[in-house]
Amino acid sequence: MAQETPSYNILAAIGEERDEAHIHSKIIYFLLDRTYDEDGENDFLKIFLRKIQIPEQYIGGPWRVCREQAFEEGRIDFVMESEKFCAAIEMKIDAGDGERQLERYDMFCRKKGKAYRIYYLTLNGSAPDRQSVGGMDRQRLFLISFRNEILDWLQMCMDTVREDSYRHSFLKQYDAAVRHMTGWGDEGMDVKDLL
């Protein structure tokens, strides 16, 4: 069978592999905001919460996911919230950090009056600018990456769905786009798997 590299993906074909706000944000939200498991234990959101190491005692129960959460001092890429926990995620692919950006997110979460964490999602897990962190509680800041957490999460999600399903094909295409964007995994992929 012909082998293809991760560069053979839909986002590369339309030239949108690095579009943070209009592509990656929407795809990740699409996956987080849907339940694919009847009991909710292996849905894509719960798998993600475990992957980013939300403490297990907070994972049970209903969660709400918001994309582009507006608040008085800005807009947060993702806010995932349950009754007892709040997680804010700032995603950076090519954009720079805003002034006191993560510090403002820290204040937003602190006002919720529950346990919280701030996640900084980059291609390879790089640290934010000092001016973005400002005076925030650095114990609440966690670095995550497309190369590690997102790719691992996508693989875990693929493991929960049938290989001949549209869900699996969708996940595999997005996995290829992330691999190509991060320069990770030039190993071949069977075309028959995509079909």
Side-chain angles (χ1 to χ4, degrees):
M1 290 298 292
Q3 295 284 311
E4 302 294 344
T5 65
S7 63
Y8 197 87
N9 70 77
I10 291 171
L11 296 184
I14 62 173
E16 297 291 345
E17 270 187 316
R18 298 181 77 88
D19 188 330
E20 173 187 310
H22 301 102
I23 301 295
H24 292 281
S25 177
K26 288 180 179 178
I27 290 173
I28 291 171
Y29 176 73
F30 177 84
L31 293 171
L32 291 175
D33 194 45
R34 284 160 173 76
T35 299
Y36 295 105
D37 184 79
E38 286 182 23
D39 65 9
E41 281 309 302
N42 289 315
D43 66 33
F44 296 170
L45 173 60
K46 298 279 172 68
I47 293 169
F48 185 75
L49 296 174
R50 287 184 175 98
K51 185 63 204 164
I52 63 170
Q53 300 179 357
I54 297 290
E56 193 64 37
Q57 75 254 31
Y58 297 113
I59 291 179
W63 281 73
R64 183 175 59 92
V65 180
C66 292
R67 180 180 160 269
E68 298 292 326
Q69 172 72 53
F71 68 111
E72 55 279 352
E73 294 200 47
R75 187 179 307 270
I76 303 172
D77 289 332
F78 296 102
V79 173
M80 301 178 302
E81 194 170 359
S82 71
E83 183 182 340
K84 297 180 180 179
F85 200 93
C86 180
I89 300 175
E90 176 58 24
M91 178 172 46
K92 296 289 183 189
I93 293 177
D94 292 321
D97 290 339
E99 184 68 31
R100 296 180 35 253
Q101 189 172 20
L102 296 175
E103 180 181 12
R104 287 182 278 127
Y105 297 174
D106 183 69
M107 289 187 298
F108 168 85
C109 290
R110 197 171 339 122
K111 287 179 183 176
K112 298 275 186 180
K114 53 180 94 173
Y116 71 92
R117 289 183 176 177
I118 311 294
Y119 291 89
Y120 190 70
L121 171 60
T122 61
L123 293 179
N124 300 307
S126 57
D129 294 341
R130 289 167 116 195
Q131 56 83 20
S132 177
V133 173
M136 75 172 283
D137 180 354
R138 293 172 190 257
Q139 299 289 334
R140 305 275 186 179
L141 179 62
F142 293 80
L143 306 180
I144 58 175
S145 70
F146 279 91
R147 180 174 259 184
N148 294 319
E149 285 77 10
I150 297 298
L151 283 176
D152 287 352
W153 169 58
L154 292 171
Q155 184 59 59
M156 294 166 137
C157 291
M158 280 188 270
D159 291 344
T160 68
V161 297
R162 289 189 351 255
E163 285 190 27
D164 63 347
S165 69
Y166 286 114
R167 291 179 199 143
H168 192 273
S169 296
F170 182 92
L171 290 161
K172 194 155 191 166
Q173 274 291 305
Y174 189 53
D175 179 89
V178 172
R179 285 179 188 281
H180 188 246
M181 177 179 66
T182 61
W184 186 254
D186 285 331
E187 69 274 359
M189 178 189 312
D190 276 337
V191 174
K192 71 181 179 79
D193 289 344
L194 295 175
L195 302 174

